[in-house]
Amino acid sequence: MHEIICPNCQKAFKIDEAGYADILKQVRDTDFEKQLHKRLELAEQEKRNAVELAMAKAAAEMQKSATTKDAEIQELRSKIDAEAVARKLAVSEALSAVGKERDTLAHELEQTRREQESTSKLAEAKLLNELQKSEATKDSAIQELKSKLESLELGKKLAITEAINSVERQRDKLQSSLEKTELEKQLAEKSLKDKYETQIKDRDDAIERLRDLKARLSTKMVGETLEQHCETEFNRIRATAFPRAYFEKDNDARAGSKGDYIFRDSDEAGIEIVSVMFEMKNENDRTTTKNKNEDFLKELDKDRVEKGCEYAVLVSLLEPESELYNTGIVDVFHRFPKMYIVRPQFFIPIITLLRNAAMNSLKYKSELALMKAQNIDITSFESELDGFKSAFAKNYDLASKRFQTAISEIDKSIEHLQKTKEALLGTDRNLRLANDKAQDVTIKKLTRSNPTMAAKFSNLKNDVANPEQ
C-alpha cells in the first residue's frame, strides 16, 4: 500500500499497488508527452529560424553583390574621369609646347630678320661701293639680294606652316584619342548597363515564372503529370538520400478517399522517423473554373489522420498569381496541424527539412517507443493477471458451491449420525439397564418362588462341596 497526499487539501489517503502504478503511469505519460511536444516545437522553431536565416543570407549576398557592382561602376567612372583629366592635361601640355616652339620660331625669325637687315645694310654698303666701282653688276646684285630675301621669306613661311601642321596633327591625334576613350567609356557603360539589365531581366523573368506558376526547372515537366515529376525527382535521389524510405502511391481507399503518395522513413532499428501524406494538384491553364489550394486542405488532413501520417503536404500549381504561395514553403498550421503548401521545385527540400527536423526528436520517439513497449508488456501482464483472476474466481465459485454442497451433505450426515448416535445411546442405556438387571439376578431370587428349582440347586451345591460322596 502507498500513501498519497493531496496537494490541494493536504489529506493523505492510501492506494494499492495497481492504482499507484496506474496514477504513476498517467503522470509519467502526461509529463513525457508535454516534454516531447515542447521539444518538437523547439525543433520546428529551429527549422523555421534556419529557413529565415538562409533567406536573409541570400538577400545579404544579393545586396553585397549589388554593392560590389556599384563600386566597380563607380571605380570605372573614376578611372574614365581621371583619364579625361589626364588627356586634357596632355593636350594643355602639348599646346604649351607648341606655343613655346612657336615663340622660339618667332624669335628665330626675328633674329633672322635682323640678320637679314644687317646683311642688307652691309650689302647695300657693299653695293654702293660696288656701284661706285661698277654699275654693270648693280642689277645682278640687286636681283641676287631679292632672291635671297624671297628665299628667306619662303623658308620662314615653310617653317611656320610645318610648325602649325605639327601642332594640328598632335591636336587631331589627341582629339582622336579622346574620342576613342569616350567611345570606350560609353561602350563600357553600355556593357555594364546591358549586363545588369540582363540580370534584372533574368530575375524578373524568374519572378514572373513563379507568379505564372510555370516553375518548370527542367524541360522534363513538359508532357508529364505533376505526380510523375515528383516521383521521378524522388527516385533520382532515393538511393543516396533516403535509402530506407518508403514512397509509394496511396491505393487504400477503404475509408472512402485516399491521398496521392505516402512517404515514410525509419532508422536502422525500424523506428519511424517521419511520415508525410502528399497530395499533388495541377490545373490546366485552359480550364474555365479555377480551383484554390484551400479547397483540398480538409480532405488532405482527413487522409493524413486515417493513414496515420505525421505531416501533410500539398504540392500545388494552383493560384499562379498568389504572392503567398509563390514565396516558397507555406505552413497552414492555423487551419490544420502539421500541414504545408509548396511549389513543385520545393518538393525535395520540404522532405529534407521535415526529415532533418524529425531526426532531432528521434531520441524522444525511441524513448517513447520503449515506454510504449514497456506499457504493452505491463498491459499484457495485467491482462494475463486479470485472466488468471477471472479463471481463479470461476474455479473458486465452482469449488465454493461444491464445498457448500459437501458441507450440506456433511451436515445432513451429521444430523443422521446424531440420530443414530442418539439411537445407539438409547440402546446403550437399555443394555446397561438390562445388564444391571441381569447382574441383580441370583439363584436365591430365581428359586424363591420355585421350590423344585431351589431343591435342585441345593443338591447341586452339595454335590460340588462333597465330591467324594
Side-chain angles (χ1 to χ4, degrees):
M1 298 294 286
H2 292 271
E3 186 175 289
I4 297 178
I5 299 176
C6 178
N8 294 325
C9 62
Q10 302 298 324
K11 291 183 178 180
F13 61 93
K14 293 184 178 181
I15 191 171
D16 58 4
E17 292 289 342
Y20 181 77
D22 185 54
I23 293 174
L24 183 61
K25 176 177 177 295
Q26 293 178 10
V27 174
R28 182 178 57 192
D29 289 349
T30 303
D31 184 64
F32 180 76
E33 288 293 336
K34 290 181 179 179
Q35 293 292 331
L36 179 59
H37 184 68
K38 185 182 294 183
R39 294 294 179 88
L40 290 176
E41 287 182 350
L42 289 175
E44 291 289 339
Q45 186 63 34
E46 290 177 359
K47 176 187 71 179
R48 294 180 182 176
N49 292 339
V51 173
E52 292 177 358
L53 181 60
M55 293 175 67
K57 186 176 181 182
E61 289 293 334
M62 291 181 66
Q63 183 65 28
K64 183 178 179 182
S65 176
T67 304
T68 304
K69 296 300 181 183
D70 292 338
E72 291 178 358
I73 292 173
Q74 188 63 32
E75 184 178 357
L76 288 173
R77 288 178 177 174
S78 300
K79 289 182 178 179
I80 291 171
D81 294 339
E83 289 179 359
V85 172
R87 286 186 182 88
K88 290 180 180 178
L89 182 60
V91 171
S92 177
E93 291 178 353
L95 292 174
S96 177
V98 171
K100 288 180 181 180
E101 188 175 356
R102 182 192 62 193
D103 295 338
T104 302
L105 291 173
H107 179 70
E108 290 178 354
L109 287 173
E110 182 65 24
Q111 187 177 0
T112 302
R113 187 181 62 79
R114 290 176 182 177
E115 290 177 354
Q116 287 176 353
E117 289 178 355
S118 300
T119 304
S120 297
K121 289 179 180 179
L122 182 61
E124 288 178 356
K126 287 181 179 181
L127 285 172
L128 288 173
N129 292 328
E130 289 178 358
L131 284 173
Q132 290 175 1
K133 291 179 180 179
S134 176
E135 291 180 1
T137 58
K138 177 181 178 181
D139 294 333
S140 61
I142 293 172
Q143 187 68 32
E144 184 179 353
L145 287 173
K146 288 182 178 180
S147 299
K148 287 182 178 180
L149 288 172
E150 289 177 358
S151 177
L152 289 173
E153 188 70 23
L154 182 60
K156 181 179 69 173
K157 290 180 179 180
L158 288 174
I160 293 172
T161 302
E162 185 177 353
I164 292 173
N165 290 335
S166 177
V167 171
E168 288 178 349
R169 285 196 299 270
Q170 291 181 1
R171 181 197 64 193
D172 295 339
K173 185 177 179 180
L174 291 173
Q175 185 68 26
S176 177
S177 177
L178 183 61
E179 291 177 355
K180 183 179 178 181
T181 303
E182 187 68 23
L183 181 61
E184 290 177 352
K185 173 186 174 184
Q186 293 177 359
L187 290 175
E189 290 179 352
K190 186 176 183 301
S191 176
L192 289 173
K193 183 178 179 182
D194 292 341
K195 179 180 178 181
Y196 286 108
E197 284 180 352
T198 302
Q199 291 180 354
I200 292 172
K201 185 176 182 299
D202 292 340
R203 184 182 64 183
D204 292 340
D205 290 342
I207 294 173
E208 188 65 24
R209 283 196 301 273
L210 288 175
R211 286 178 179 175
D212 293 339
L213 286 188
K214 299 305 177 184
R216 295 176 173 86
L217 300 181
S218 68
T219 57
K220 291 185 177 180
M221 285 196 67
V222 178
E224 292 184 354
T225 65
L226 185 56
E227 293 181 8
Q228 290 172 341
H229 167 73
C230 293
E231 185 173 3
T232 301
E233 290 297 315
F234 181 83
N235 290 331
R236 185 179 300 169
I237 64 169
R238 179 195 291 267
T240 56
F242 306 100
R244 291 182 294 273
Y246 168 88
F247 182 74
E248 303 292 341
K249 286 188 68 64
D250 181 15
N251 296 318
D252 185 5
R254 290 178 295 179
S257 63
K258 63 184 181 66
D260 287 334
Y261 283 88
I262 294 177
F263 170 83
R264 298 183 188 275
D265 197 9
S266 58
D267 62 1
E268 296 178 354
I271 299 176
E272 184 176 286
I273 300 174
V274 66
S275 58
V276 184
M277 169 64 71
F278 281 99
E279 182 77 15
M280 287 74 172
K281 290 300 176 183
N282 184 7
E283 190 169 62
N284 194 331
D285 293 337
R286 294 173 294 180
T287 57
T288 57
T289 59
K290 301 296 182 180
N291 291 319
K292 294 185 177 180
N293 293 318
E294 192 78 15
D295 300 337
F296 302 96
L297 299 184
K298 183 177 181 181
E299 189 69 20
L300 178 57
D301 183 67
K302 178 183 176 184
D303 295 334
R304 178 187 71 85
V305 175
E306 290 177 350
K307 303 305 166 58
C309 295
E310 184 178 0
Y311 293 94
V313 176
L314 176 63
V315 183
S316 172
L317 287 172
L318 306 179
E319 299 185 58
E321 301 298 332
S322 174
E323 292 291 341
L324 173 64
Y325 300 122
N326 291 338
T327 56
I329 299 174
V330 179
D331 68 78
V332 287
F333 289 8
H334 61 285
R335 295 297 311 280
F336 298 97
K338 295 187 176 183
M339 183 176 293
Y340 295 90
I341 301 175
V342 301
R343 296 308 189 194
Q345 63 268 30
F346 296 103
F347 169 67
I348 296 299
I350 188 64
I351 295 178
T352 305
L353 286 173
L354 293 178
R355 199 273 300 271
N356 292 341
M359 290 294 292
N360 297 328
S361 61
L362 179 60
K363 176 182 177 182
Y364 307 106
K365 287 187 177 181
S366 300
E367 294 178 356
L368 180 60
L370 179 61
M371 292 182 63
K372 287 183 177 179
Q374 292 175 351
N375 290 336
I376 290 174
D377 293 340
I378 294 173
T379 304
S380 177
F381 176 77
E382 291 177 350
S383 299
E384 293 179 359
L385 181 61
D386 291 339
F388 171 76
K389 288 180 178 179
S390 298
F392 183 83
K394 183 177 180 181
N395 293 333
Y396 175 80
D397 291 338
L398 293 174
S400 177
K401 290 179 181 179
R402 294 182 179 180
F403 180 78
Q404 294 297 330
T405 302
I407 293 297
S408 178
E409 294 295 330
I410 289 172
D411 289 340
K412 291 179 181 179
S413 299
I414 290 174
E415 184 179 0
H416 180 70
L417 289 173
Q418 187 68 29
K419 292 179 179 179
T420 304
K421 176 182 176 182
E422 291 176 357
L424 291 173
L425 289 174
T427 304
D428 180 67
R429 287 196 299 272
N430 291 327
L431 289 173
R432 188 173 60 255
L433 292 173
N435 183 52
D436 292 340
K437 291 179 179 180
Q439 292 298 327
D440 193 44
V441 174
T442 60
I443 294 173
K444 185 177 181 179
K445 289 181 178 180
L446 290 174
T447 62
R448 179 182 302 167
S449 299
N450 193 345
T452 302
M453 292 301 295
K456 288 182 178 182
F457 276 108
S458 178
N459 292 330
L460 181 59
K461 184 176 179 180
N462 292 325
D463 290 337
V464 173
N466 298 305
E468 294 180 358
Q469 293 179 0

